Amino acid sequence: DVKLVESGGGLVQTGGSLRLSCTTSGFSFPSYWMSWVRQAPGRGMEWVANNNLDGSGEFYAASVRGRFSISRDNAKNSLHLQMNNLRVEDTAVYFCARDVADPRGRGYFDHWGQGVLVTVYS
Amino acid sequence: SYEMTQPPSVSVSPGQTATISCVGDGLARWFVHWYQRKSGRAPVLVMFEDTKRPAEIPERFSGSKSGTMATLIISGAQVDDEAEYHCYSTDINGLYKVFGGGTKLTVL
């Protein structure tokens, strides 16, 4: 079975940093693009970032570009999101998702983790 | 910024057909995909590439698209289908990945 498990969430003050991790199993991790998606309380979902098969290509939503960094470790089947200079509006549940993407990164998410809560306070 | 519009809520009685719309200019060019989100649980893909249903999703779920509007249809909705439903696609130029605002489906 495909499994994705996020970790690393928590409570952080504005301007602080957090590093989220996503541990995967049950599929060939190096064969898939991977994404982070978030959902703020009472809001819709928002795609945050994704990276390509070897991690050489990284793509970000405008709201996080320059503050967040996505990376992957294909040897450990894991995905990471380094979040710096956090803002109150970054408060959300963050999901790791397997990305069925074309070579330009367009596609859909076919498997998701349960999510991890990040709360940023001022 | 590019947006896709969904109704905030839809309510039906068990056994009725629920239809959830998603409107966005990019849908005229790109596929739409649909996710079900129940509180505290991982989102689930219920429809991809406009009309394709994952094997594990019940046949009562179907999708359609015409021009800039896509529709998720649940024929004979069940109480277990109560959830938020989110459409997902790309802007017309294929640059921005966007979700609709989500629709809360109530079945009672």
Side-chain angles (χ1 to χ4, degrees):
Chain A
D1 283 4
V2 173
K3 291 187 179 178
L4 301 92
V5 179
E6 302 92 340
S7 62
L11 194 62
V12 62
Q13 199 166 17
T14 53
S17 298
L18 275 179
R19 185 174 191 246
L20 305 184
S21 294
C22 173
T23 303
T24 74
S25 62
F27 67 100
S28 174
F29 182 77
S31 299
Y32 287 89
W33 288 59
M34 295 295 295
S35 276
W36 289 97
V37 177
R38 68 185 181 183
Q39 186 171 23
R43 303 285 300 273
M45 291 187 177
E46 179 186 20
W47 171 79
V48 173
N50 69 355
N51 63 8
N52 62 1
L53 303 185
D54 63 3
S56 62
E58 306 169 15
F59 305 89
Y60 299 93
S63 57
V64 307
R65 193 175 295 125
R67 300 186 299 121
F68 289 13
S69 177
I70 188 172
S71 63
R72 64 194 293 159
D73 185 338
N74 282 350
K76 295 183 178 180
N77 298 329
S78 61
L79 181 73
H80 306 281
L81 185 69
Q82 178 66 41
M83 305 186 294
N84 298 328
N85 191 18
L86 282 160
R87 305 168 179 168
V88 170
E89 54 265 35
D90 294 319
T91 294
V93 176
Y94 285 74
F95 299 96
C96 161
R98 190 173 82 168
D99 208 335
V100 181
D102 66 18
R104 298 191 66 177
R106 290 186 295 258
Y108 58 93
F109 316 115
D110 67 343
H111 289 275
W112 300 63
Q114 297 269 16
V116 63
L117 178 62
V118 171
T119 303
V120 186
Y121 66 94
S122 59
Chain B
S1 63
Y2 177 66
E3 295 182 349
M4 294 197 299
T5 302
Q6 296 182 237
S9 64
V10 168
S11 182
V12 297
S13 300
Q16 289 188 326
T17 296
T19 59
I20 299 172
S21 61
C22 176
V23 177
D25 289 346
L27 298 184
R29 182 177 180 187
W30 304 105
F31 286 128
V32 68
H33 318 285
W34 291 91
Y35 296 93
Q36 177 193 70
R37 172 105 202 274
K38 296 182 179 181
S39 182
R41 297 172 66 172
V44 173
L45 178 69
V46 295
M47 200 66 53
F48 65 100
E49 295 179 356
D50 298 346
T51 60
K52 297 176 181 177
R53 186 181 64 249
E56 64 274 20
I57 300 303
E59 290 184 8
R60 63 180 180 274
F61 286 83
S62 63
S64 68
K65 193 177 77 174
S66 178
T68 59
M69 187 169 84
T71 305
L72 179 69
I73 304 154
I74 309 173
S75 304
Q78 300 182 5
V79 173
D80 187 56
D81 298 330
E82 277 205 349
E84 287 181 355
Y85 290 86
H86 302 261
C87 60
Y88 170 74
S89 187
T90 311
D91 76 300
I92 192 72
N93 295 313
L95 298 177
Y96 301 105
K97 305 174 189 298
V98 181
F99 285 91
T103 299
K104 179 172 175 53
L105 174 67
T106 302
V107 183
L108 55 73

